[in-house]
Amino acid sequence: MKIDGLVSGLNTAEVIDALMNVHAIPKTLLTAKITDRNSVISNLQSLNTSLQELFEKAKTAAGTNSLAAYTATASAESVTVTAGEGARAFSTSIVVDAVASTHTVVTAAARADAWGGTFTLVASDGTKTEVTATGTGPHDLAKAINAAKAGVVATVVPAGTDAGGSPLSRIQLTADKTGAAASFTVYRGTADEVAGGTASDVAADAGAAVIAQGADARIRLFAGTAAEQTLTSATNTFTLAEGIDVTVSTVSSDPVTVSVALDAKAQTTSAEAFVKEIAALLTRIDNGSKATIGDAGEKTRLGVFSGDSTVRSLRIALSNAVQAPVDGWSPSTIGISFDRNGVLSFDAEKFEKALADDPEGTQAMFSQIAARVQETTNQYSDKYEGLLTQRITGQQDEVKSLQTQVERWDLRLEQRRATLERTYAQLEVRLSALQSQSAWLTSQLASLTQPSSSS
C-alpha cells in the first residue's frame, strides 16, 4: 500500500502520472498512426475485394457471346423451353408421342412371415443385385432393398387381412429414375437361380402386377416431312439444338411450336449492370479521395484514399479501360461514356439501338471493353502480384513495425515510471530525515536560549 506525500504533502501519484503522460506522447502518436493505418488497410482490402468481384464479372462479360439473352416460348403449356449458353435464334415444331414413365411393380399380398429369404433385382442391362432381409417381415425386406442402392425404392403398403384375420402387406417397388433404362425385374431366389431359370418372377405371382412399365419420352421433329425424326429421352427433357432444351409433360398429337428469339431488353440490362458495377467502383474511389474542408477553426479531413498513388493510378487505369477507343470507335457510340464530371454513365436506349443496327459489332466492342477491364482489375487485385495487394501488404508491414515500436515504448515507460516512483520515494525519505534534524536543532536551540530563573 502506497501513501503519497506523507512528508512533502505532494500528490506524487498525480505528479508521476502527469510526467508519464508527457513521456508517453511519442507512444500516443504511434498508436494513433496505427489506428489510421488500420483504417486505410481495411478500406483497401474492401476495395480489393470489390475489384476481384469485378474481375470475375469482366471475365464473363469478355466472352464472345456474353450478351446473349433469349426469350424461349412454346405454343403449349405442356412444353417448357430453356435457352442456355450457346443458344441461337431458333424455331421449330415438335409432336409429343409419349412422356417418360417410372417402372413400378407391386407384389402380391402376403402375411408378415412371408418375406424372408433371398430376392434378386435384375436391371434392364442385366445387372443382378441379391437382397437378403435380416427378418421375415415386409419392412425387413423393404429396408434391405433400399439399402442395396440398386436403383429401386421399396415401400410397404397395407393390404387388409386374410380369412383368419392376419394382417397382409404388399411391397411397392419403384425405379428411382424414369425411362426404359431404369426398368427392372424382381425374382424370389438367388442370382444363380435367376440365371438357371429356377427363380420366380415376383410380378408374375397371383395378385402381383407391373403397375407401370418404365419407358422413354418420345417426340418427333419435322413431322410429316421427309426429314421426320424421332428423339427419345429418359427424363422428358430433349436437346433440340445447342443451348436449347425442351421439357414435355403430356402427350400431344398436335404440333407444338418451339421458338427462341433474341431478347434485346435483357441484353441491354446485362450490359448496363456491368457498366454500373464499374461506375460504382469509380465513385467509391472518388468519394474516398475527397478532402472535407472544415469550417473556420476546424481541421480539414482527408479521405481514406487521399494521396494514395496506387488507388489514383487504379482509377485512371479503369477509366482508360472503359473509355479508350476500340478499333478506332469510341465506346460512346454504344452508350458507354463519361460526363464532364468524370462520372461513368450508360445510355440504355443508345445501346439497344446499337444492338439492333449491328449486334455483332456491339457485342465485339462490349467484349473488348470488358477484356480491358478484366486485365486492369487483375493487374491490381491479383492475390500475389496485384499492385493494390502489394500496397495492402506494405501497409500491414508498416503496422507491424509500428506495433513493435509501441511495445518498446511500453518497456521504456514502465522503466521510467519505476524510476520516478523510486525518486519520489527517496525524496520523502530525505525530507523526513531533514524534518527530524530540523526538529532536533530547534529543540537544542530552544534549550540554549531559555532565561535563567530569578533568585
Side-chain angles (χ1 to χ4, degrees):
M1 177 178 177
K2 294 194 302 179
I3 302 177
D4 298 325
L6 286 176
V7 179
S8 65
L10 296 173
N11 189 334
T12 56
E14 289 186 359
V15 173
I16 292 173
D17 286 342
L19 291 171
M20 289 304 302
N21 287 338
V22 175
H23 287 301
I25 288 175
K27 176 193 170 183
T28 302
L29 294 175
L30 287 172
T31 303
K33 199 171 184 180
I34 289 174
T35 300
D36 178 67
R37 289 292 180 272
N38 281 332
S39 176
V40 171
I41 290 171
S42 177
N43 281 276
L44 287 175
Q45 287 174 330
S46 178
L47 179 63
N48 204 35
T49 298
S50 298
L51 209 57
Q52 289 168 347
E53 292 173 353
L54 180 59
F55 167 77
E56 294 298 332
K57 292 176 181 178
K59 186 177 181 180
T60 300
T64 55
N65 294 307
S66 61
L67 293 176
Y70 296 89
T71 300
T73 58
S75 61
E77 293 183 357
S78 59
V79 177
T80 302
V81 189
T82 303
E85 187 176 353
R88 297 289 186 275
F90 179 80
S91 181
T92 191
S93 294
I94 63 172
V95 175
V96 183
D97 291 325
V99 294
S101 58
T102 304
H103 193 75
T104 306
V105 175
V106 64
T107 68
R111 295 190 345 179
D113 58 355
W115 307 93
T118 299
F119 290 77
T120 300
L121 303 173
V122 181
S124 60
D125 63 358
T127 301
K128 299 179 180 66
T129 303
E130 287 189 357
V131 175
T132 303
T134 56
T136 60
H139 290 90
D140 296 323
L141 179 57
K143 182 178 180 180
I145 291 173
N146 293 331
K149 305 294 184 183
V152 178
V153 178
T155 305
V156 177
V157 180
T161 59
D162 61 12
S166 298
L168 300 175
S169 299
R170 298 177 186 269
I171 296 180
Q172 180 172 310
L173 302 162
T174 307
D176 61 2
K177 296 177 182 177
T178 57
S183 298
F184 61 88
T185 308
V186 185
Y187 291 92
R188 184 185 291 272
T190 64
D192 290 339
E193 290 172 338
V194 171
T198 58
S200 61
D201 184 349
V202 170
D205 293 343
V210 176
I211 304 300
Q213 180 65 46
D216 292 339
R218 295 192 316 279
I219 64 172
R220 280 180 290 146
L221 292 175
F222 323 119
T225 71
E228 179 176 299
Q229 68 181 75
T230 298
L231 300 180
T232 61
S233 169
T235 63
N236 284 327
T237 297
F238 300 82
T239 297
L240 298 187
E242 183 182 2
I244 301 175
D245 294 335
V246 296
T247 301
V248 300
S249 58
T250 60
V251 173
S252 174
S253 58
D254 296 326
V256 177
T257 301
V258 173
S259 300
V260 175
L262 276 170
D263 188 340
K265 181 64 70 176
Q267 289 179 293
T268 302
T269 299
S270 175
E272 183 174 18
F274 177 67
V275 174
K276 283 186 174 180
E277 192 84 19
I278 303 171
L281 191 60
L282 293 175
T283 299
R284 179 177 175 184
I285 293 174
D286 291 341
N287 290 339
S289 302
K290 290 179 181 177
T292 304
I293 301 176
D295 296 331
E298 295 182 353
K299 294 181 179 179
T300 296
R301 298 181 61 184
L302 299 178
V304 70
F305 300 138
S306 295
D308 194 312
S309 60
T310 303
V311 176
R312 183 169 60 252
S313 65
L314 166 62
R315 210 280 184 202
I316 294 171
L318 266 179
S319 298
N320 290 338
V322 175
Q323 68 183 350
V326 176
D327 297 331
W329 291 89
S330 170
S332 63
T333 58
I334 62 172
I336 301 174
S337 61
F338 285 85
D339 63 20
R340 62 182 182 180
N341 296 317
V343 177
L344 178 60
S345 62
F346 181 85
D347 189 328
E349 185 176 342
K350 197 170 185 178
F351 189 87
E352 196 165 337
K353 185 177 184 304
L355 273 175
D357 294 343
D358 183 9
E360 292 183 0
T362 302
Q363 171 70 79
M365 177 176 283
F366 179 80
S367 295
Q368 288 191 52
I369 292 172
R372 293 190 308 214
V373 172
Q374 178 190 355
E375 181 181 356
T376 300
T377 51
N378 185 58
Q379 179 186 3
Y380 280 83
S381 69
D382 181 83
K383 64 179 181 179
Y384 298 113
E385 300 179 355
L387 298 178
L388 191 59
T389 304
Q390 293 175 354
R391 173 69 173 147
I392 293 169
T393 302
Q395 291 285 301
Q396 289 172 331
D397 290 342
E398 183 177 350
V399 167
K400 289 179 182 178
S401 176
L402 292 172
Q403 288 172 336
T404 299
Q405 294 180 52
V406 167
E407 290 170 0
R408 290 172 180 170
W409 266 104
D410 285 334
L411 292 175
R412 290 194 199 113
L413 293 172
E414 184 179 345
Q415 293 169 353
R416 182 58 180 162
R417 177 177 287 276
T419 300
L420 288 173
E421 287 175 348
R422 285 196 303 271
T423 299
Y424 277 93
Q426 291 170 359
L427 174 64
E428 293 295 325
V429 171
R430 294 296 301 275
L431 285 174
S432 177
L434 288 173
Q435 284 182 350
S436 296
Q437 292 178 2
S438 175
W440 182 82
L441 288 172
T442 300
S443 66
Q444 292 300 314
L445 289 172
S447 64
L448 291 173
T449 57
Q450 285 181 356
S452 58
S453 57
S454 56
S455 54

